[in-house]
Amino acid sequence: MNIIKLLPATRLSLMLLAFNQVHANPVQEERQFNASISATSLMSDNSKKTVLEPIEERQDIYQLGLMATYSNWLVDADVDYDLYAQQFSKQSQADEEYAEGSSLLVFGKETDSLGLELEHSRRMLLQSPEEVTLLENQQEREMISARPTIRKRLSAADRIFLQGQAAKVRFIGEDDSQDSKRNGATLGWGHAISKTSAMMLSSHYMDVSFDQQPDADYQMVNSALSYQVQLRKLDYSVQVGYNEISPELGEKQGAPSYNISLGYVSGYHVFRASADRQITDTSFGNGNLDSGNQIPGADGLSQNLGKIDRRNLGVEFSTDVICSRCTFSLGASVVDDDYLERDEQGRNTYIRSAFVYSLSSAAKLTLRADKSKNDEESNQVNDRYDTDYLSLEYTYRFINGFDIRLFSRKEERDGDGAANNYKENIYGAGLEYLF
């Protein structure tokens, strides 16, 4: 999974090593398509996640999944979506339909003079982070962007590029107060130092406007220097720069930016670590990246629109050396948010672990344990709480394309606000068909 990623506005590929591949082999056509349909029924002993008068309720979830990749000499496409319909037998919440996933369509390769990236994504976010993670407290955020690129080779090792961006952020539902548009451009120079290392110097400008709150509009300029190394087992990159924002109302503000990543892959182990600092806002957050957590998050979303000085730190480790039939993974991440327009800070810490044991070629047992610590501080309220998820799942895959799942899960929240503390036990079964 991706622990850290640059904002789409500045997310220019660091794969400058492609500069050395002037006579690259012809790209072969590749395609893959997977689709699935599933139905899951679960029983919850506390469907409203409350400490008072818990409701025991059956919930039914219907899911349609679609995953496809395609590549040829001109186009790269990647599609991964899940569509959900969730129903509540006792109407503790309103039945809901929603989607999560993303798609990316890229015209042109790294060595081509012209390129175009089209991207779409949807993610579910908590509307009010201090409230419990009910479906009615979540909202879809949709992002659409287009990034045309012009590249010019100056020498065998040097290339300059100009990339534009037009993007829109839209919240699906009644509350559209944080919808926004983002337009900008990036000018950069890339230099291949060797077959395994490269550097890039870039300058980026972005204009951000909010549909419902034009007084919150701002412009941002970022300049950065990047260095990347790609070895057989080890890869790392370092980017340092500076952000300056000019709001529609108020004074200019500036802050350093950085993005550091390290990856190591051996025969049995995978290790990745990253750290970054960037300026974003409550509308955009992390750009709809999948956090990889079972526990839903707000990604900086709050009732008050504003800019965020954000720091991320993440580590991820997985190994299959414990036994021949099992895989163990452990990860942790910390997100520190400093809201620039008001005296408010937030820290979200996530710890996740998974142990997968293959009982046979068709059956496996998965144990997951996730924990989050949330700490929100402001002039009005200090809200601290911990959330724990523990789940056990058995999966069996039949040769005719059907999967059956049996699972149980325990959720518990403990924090300063006693009214939002709860315990919930869930058990259920699901049937899935893979096309």
Side-chain angles (χ1 to χ4, degrees), residues 192-423:
I193 301 172
S194 68
K195 291 184 178 181
T196 60
S197 62
M199 63 177 292
M200 180 171 71
L201 180 64
S202 63
S203 181
H204 171 71
Y205 170 81
M206 181 174 62
D207 179 84
V208 181
S209 60
F210 298 94
D211 296 353
Q212 306 298 330
Q213 304 181 55
D215 288 348
D217 295 354
Y218 68 95
Q219 296 80 45
M220 182 170 70
V221 177
N222 170 268
S223 297
L225 176 65
S226 307
Y227 176 73
Q228 182 190 38
V229 173
Q230 177 75 57
L231 304 175
R232 187 170 64 88
K233 293 184 178 181
L234 178 69
D235 65 87
Y236 60 90
S237 64
V238 178
Q239 181 189 74
V240 293
Y242 191 80
N243 289 321
E244 185 177 83
I245 54 176
S246 302
E248 192 73 16
L249 297 177
E251 299 180 353
K252 290 184 179 180
Q253 295 175 290
S257 65
Y258 56 83
N259 190 310
I260 304 169
S261 66
L262 171 68
Y264 176 79
V265 180
S266 70
Y268 296 100
H269 314 291
V270 175
F271 174 79
R272 297 199 176 277
S274 62
D276 85 297
R277 181 181 181 182
Q278 60 190 14
I279 291 181
T280 182
D281 54 61
T282 56
S283 173
F284 185 83
N286 70 353
N288 269 359
L289 293 179
D290 184 1
S291 66
N293 301 304
Q294 293 188 82
I295 304 170
D299 188 26
L301 184 66
S302 70
Q303 302 301 316
N304 300 306
L305 179 63
K307 293 177 284 297
I308 304 172
D309 184 359
R310 170 171 289 182
R311 296 173 177 86
N312 291 278
L313 177 65
V315 293
E316 197 80 26
F317 172 75
S318 65
T319 181
D320 54 7
V321 75
I322 299 175
C323 67
S324 60
R325 292 190 169 194
C326 58
T327 301
F328 174 73
S329 63
L330 179 66
S333 58
V334 180
V335 181
D336 279 318
D337 287 340
D338 183 7
Y339 294 81
L340 299 181
E341 281 90 2
R342 56 189 186 274
D343 186 15
E344 183 177 343
Q345 294 83 35
R347 166 172 284 194
N348 297 321
T349 304
Y350 299 96
I351 301 173
R352 51 196 174 273
S353 62
F355 181 80
V356 182
Y357 185 80
S358 298
L359 301 170
S360 68
S361 59
K364 67 178 181 180
L365 197 64
T366 303
L367 175 65
R368 296 182 184 274
D370 285 11
K371 183 181 184 67
S372 73
K373 296 176 68 67
N374 298 75
D375 189 351
E376 306 289 336
E377 296 185 6
S378 67
N379 288 331
Q380 290 75 32
V381 63
N382 291 336
D383 192 13
R384 301 176 178 86
Y385 61 88
D386 298 345
T387 307
D388 295 283
Y389 274 44
L390 180 64
S391 65
L392 180 65
E393 178 179 278
Y394 170 80
T395 306
Y396 187 88
R397 173 164 295 181
F398 297 91
I399 59 175
N400 59 2
F402 281 97
D403 284 4
I404 187 171
R405 296 187 304 121
L406 303 174
F407 61 90
S408 65
R409 185 170 77 241
K410 181 178 181 179
E411 302 179 18
E412 184 173 356
R413 170 168 159 160
D414 183 26
D416 296 342
N420 289 325
N421 293 341
Y422 71 90
K423 293 182 181 180

Side-chain angles (χ1 to χ4, degrees), residues 36-98:
S36 64
I37 185 170
S38 67
T40 301
S41 185
L42 61 89
M43 285 297 300
S44 168
D45 65 356
N46 189 2
S47 184
K48 291 288 287 184
K49 304 182 189 298
T50 179
V51 71
L52 300 173
E53 300 181 0
I55 298 174
E56 186 171 334
E57 183 180 46
R58 191 190 81 249
Q59 300 177 21
D60 298 317
I61 304 172
Y62 304 96
Q63 180 179 352
L64 175 64
L66 175 64
M67 184 174 66
T69 58
Y70 178 79
S71 179
N72 64 15
W73 64 274
L74 176 64
V75 174
D76 290 294
D78 193 350
V79 177
D80 188 0
Y81 287 103
D82 289 297
L83 310 177
Y84 299 90
Q86 190 164 349
Q87 300 176 354
F88 300 84
S89 62
K90 295 185 178 179
Q91 298 301 305
S92 66
Q93 301 178 64
D95 297 344
E96 190 67 75
E97 297 177 358
Y98 56 95

